[in-house]
Amino acid sequence: MIGNMMFQPLLISSLIEHAALYHADTAIISKNTDGSMTETAWGQIAQNSKRFANVLQSFGLTVSDRVATIAWNNHRHLESWYGISGSGLVCHTINPRLFPEQHKYMVNDANDKVLIFDKTFLNLVLSIKEAIPYVEHFICLDAYDEDILQAFPEVLFYDDLIAQHSEHFEWPELDETKASSLCYTSGTTGNPKGVLYSHRSTVLHSYAASLPDSFHFSAQDRILPVVPMFHVNAWGTPYSAAMVGCSMVLPGPMLDGESLVQLIDEYEVTNALGVPTIWQGLLNAAYQCGSKLESLVRNVVGGAACPPNMLKAFKDDFQCETIHAWGMTETSPLGAVNQLKAKHAALDDSEKFKLRFAQGRPPYGVSLRVCQDEKGTAESARDGQLPGHLQIKGHWIVESYFDQFNHALTQDGWFDTGDIATLDQDGYMQISDRSKDLIKSGGEWISSVELENIAIAHPELDMVAVIAATHPKWDERPILIAKKSAASSLSEAEILDFYANKIAKWQIPDKVVFVDAIPVGGTGKILKKDLREAYGSILLAAVPA
Ligand code: ADP
């Protein structure tokens, strides 16, 4: 016997319809590429998304054709997203910070038929145009601009197009398992790989991400997704925001600390989301200008480990609760998020802090396990002690990569994340490293993350990374790459002393390399691969021949 309840497919169009019907006047505030602001609302976003769906329809595209976007977080990009996925096409977000070779690869691999771009990326698009012959239409996400037309005669302008098309569009009743959007991993090893989300996975992810024990979104919030829409769909925030009807501030191209402080203060943002490097910039700027970030109730940090002193700084100096979350492109991205339980209320502040600093527990809809190898043959104890290979399964986890027929899963159906973590009996997960960043010294593992967390707590260090350097006796030893604050005269010996009594002696780095800048990649994460190439042999050079 099956239940007698209605069946409605879980579709992205239903999110924007909901926002239009029940939150039409809730503000969407957007910074344009020229720095000017546009204030619109969900009702208008929904109307324009329908106009844009009509534009795409007029191109003769068919269900599941791919439409690429290279754009910042702004209102036109948001409208185009709903127009694309809502009408049954696949929204392929491209990270402009990757290399041109990767851009060409991704557009061709995805077989994109239309490419939408922000003015800022005109040169990027022109530089790859000849190498992406299957793209039939190029749309600049802006008003008509004579200069752009001169440089790119076949370009179409978004504002012209939507002005020419009707706001009436019947969203198609698609199968909920149809593809809705496509993101490529950043390809630190080999070519980027496509992860193809479905309507169903996206809507279920939106429910989970909005919950109080996740990002904690409600219709009373004004959220600021600093994480770009080209980075795992801005962690799904544009979908969750429509679902709960919260207001959004879209920060456009200016992601420096000063610009973000200004947006938060001026528009009274209640919750902001981004990677640790963004929050470091924000903290510095807030201290400098004396802002107390008064409206900010909470912020979400993910994409890389949150340094413990960052949690403390937000709490102690800004009364802002920092939520640490973990995920990856392959997991939509939410895989774990750190909120305490009722039973933790009795813990003292330092114990609470220790718990909160981990990556958190899985929301309903995904499961985690830690295994002794990547194949998942033996599961480790859930005792929070022994690190192992972190694996995940659930409604919004990748099964196979785009256009690749073989599964990306273990034989028993789990996805191996490439992260090394512990898991305790309540499901609190703590990443100790990425498997490729672990340091193996004389047969013992050392966590680079643990060493980084100690170093970054030093008030005179701005940014740090620990990598494995090849060692003639121990195979690998940790070395610390550090960027000092401007006025600092800190020495190597002082930093190494700083490790004393905080960690076992044999785990203390062998060397400190001071640098002017630490390289970060397209999603704001430190490029450890580049650091290993530059400094991985430094301990060999020190050994006498
Ligand atoms: P890429 O693998 O190209 O960096 P993703 O954005 O998908 O692209 O990154 C996912 C990885 O980022 C995870 O596997 C993990 O190593 C790291 N990561 C994400 N969030 C956290 C976190 N809160 N703490 C530590 N590492 C994290």
Side-chain angles (χ1 to χ4, degrees), residues 110-127:
N111 197 2
D112 294 322
K113 291 284 190 333
V114 180
L115 198 162
I116 299 172
F117 61 96
D118 266 338
K119 247 179 182 172
T120 328
F121 303 118
L122 173 67
N123 287 338
L124 188 166
V125 175
L126 287 174
S127 75

Side-chain angles (χ1 to χ4, degrees), residues 186 231 303-305 324-329 359 417 419 434 525:
S186 40
H231 187 196
H324 191 189
W326 168 88
M328 51 198 311
T329 308
Q359 278 73 11
T417 64
D419 286 330
R434 289 187 113 170
K525 300 184 202 187

Side-chain angles (χ1 to χ4, degrees), residues 305-323:
C306 173
N309 58 336
M310 188 174 277
L311 281 179
K312 256 186 142 48
F314 272 108
K315 183 153 197 316
D316 295 349
D317 300 339
F318 300 95
Q319 283 76 54
C320 170
E321 178 201 4
T322 299
I323 304 168

